């Protein structure tokens, strides 16, 4: 069964560094999403992406964040200058245009030191 | 804006006992409703979903949930809990965006389930 994959599974970085989290959505899905979960807290929506542009973003998704679909398979989340409070699990999800269910990847744990 | 309330932060049940996890939502239209389960350090596994139609939905692992529009609730139930059900459970509502079938998920804060032998 096709699934969403994410790399790396765990990323450790120094505060102020740039990180890129990578996701490979399911191949025939065209809606893409990023969510994050700070340790011990609920999952929060960051951004949705369709047709090579952002459809919706939350107030968390400020100028430090960007998303990109650099090729036909990858969907990336970039954090330009990481802060300690960016430490979280980041989940990618994808969805078919005509369907209702979002499929989640296993997540990338980002630790900012 | 949509919101989800899970009033129980932590629930402890004995193995074999029945379980009900509560979820209330706030949304102006008929929502998409979901229950996810998360084991420590793991990702989100979808247990069940409601989009329309029959208000009692069946999911994996013997779970079911009932959508009650009058109460804005979508409570999760299981008749007999197994030790392997110990995990954190998240209720989520899907709120449609500006057009098409796109929507973002808003999650509750979760209910941690402990199962005693």
């Amino acid at each position: 069964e096709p699934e969403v994959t994410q790399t790396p599974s765990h990323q450790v970085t120094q505060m102020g560094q740039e990180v890129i989290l990578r996701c490979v959505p399911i191949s025939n899905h065209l809606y893409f999403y990023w969510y994050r979960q700070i340790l011990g807290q609920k999952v929060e929506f960051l951004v949705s992406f369709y047709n090579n542009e952002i459809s919706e973003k939350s107030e968390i998704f400020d100028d430090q964040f960007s998303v990109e679909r650099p090729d036909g398979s990858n969907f990336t989340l970039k954090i330009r200058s990481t802060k300690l409070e960016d430490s979280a699990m980041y989940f990618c999800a994808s969805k078919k245009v005509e369907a209702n269910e979002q499929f989640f990847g296993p997540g990338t744990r980002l630790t900012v030191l | 804006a949509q919101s989800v309330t899970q009033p129980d932060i932590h629930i402890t049940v004995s193995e074999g006992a029945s379980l009900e996890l509560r979820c209330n939502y706030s949304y102006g239209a008929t929502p998409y409703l979901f229950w996810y389960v998360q084991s420590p350090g793991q990702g989100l596994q979808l247990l069940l979903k409601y989009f329309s139609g029959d208000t009692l939905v069946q999911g994996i692992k013997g779970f079911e949930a009932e959508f009650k529009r009058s109460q804005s609730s979508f409570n999760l139930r299981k008749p007999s809990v197994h030790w392997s059900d110990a995990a954190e459970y998240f209720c989520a509502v899907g709120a449609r965006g500006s057009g098409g079938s796109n929507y973002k998920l808003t999650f509750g804060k979760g209910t941690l389930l402990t199962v005693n032998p």
Side-chain angles (χ1 to χ4, degrees), chain B residues 7-13 18-22 87 111-115:
Chain B
D8 304 305
I9 296 172
H10 188 188
I11 283 183
T12 300
V13 300
S18 64
L19 172 71
E20 181 169 30
L21 302 183
R22 295 182 290 165
T111 298
L112 180 64
L113 175 65
T114 298
V115 180

Side-chain angles (χ1 to χ4, degrees), chain A residues 51-82:
Chain A
N51 201 24
N52 276 322
E53 61 183 26
I54 291 173
S55 307
E56 187 173 359
K57 60 182 181 179
S58 71
E59 55 193 29
I60 302 169
F61 194 88
D62 62 22
D63 291 345
Q64 291 299 311
F65 290 89
S66 63
V67 289
E68 190 179 28
R69 187 155 165 82
D71 52 45
S73 60
N74 288 283
F75 178 53
T76 62
L77 174 69
K78 181 193 290 186
I79 309 175
R80 287 192 183 80
S81 178
T82 50

Side-chain angles (χ1 to χ4, degrees), chain B:
Chain B
Q2 65 281 355
S3 66
V4 177
T5 301
Q6 293 181 247
D8 304 305
I9 296 172
H10 188 188
I11 283 183
T12 300
V13 300
S14 298
E15 191 168 16
S18 64
L19 172 71
E20 181 169 30
L21 302 183
R22 295 182 290 165
C23 173
N24 292 94
Y25 68 90
S26 172
Y27 182 56
T30 301
Y32 298 146
L33 293 163
F34 307 82
W35 275 99
Y36 289 87
V37 61
Q38 185 181 37
S39 298
Q42 301 299 307
L44 298 164
Q45 182 179 23
L46 179 67
L47 283 176
L48 45 75
K49 57 189 182 283
Y50 171 79
F51 296 136
S52 65
D54 193 348
T55 56
L56 183 63
V57 293
Q58 302 297 320
I60 62 171
K61 304 184 180 186
F63 285 93
E64 67 177 26
E66 186 171 12
F67 169 53
K68 292 186 177 179
R69 184 189 304 275
S70 61
Q71 299 176 19
S72 297
S73 69
F74 189 58
N75 294 347
L76 181 71
R77 299 193 294 252
K78 186 169 184 178
S80 177
V81 169
H82 188 262
W83 64 266
S84 60
D85 293 324
E88 187 146 29
Y89 292 79
F90 292 94
C91 180
V93 59
R96 294 181 186 81
S98 57
S101 65
N102 190 21
Y103 65 90
K104 66 179 183 183
L105 285 169
T106 297
F107 287 80
K109 292 186 177 181
T111 298
L112 180 64
L113 175 65
T114 298
V115 180
N116 287 334

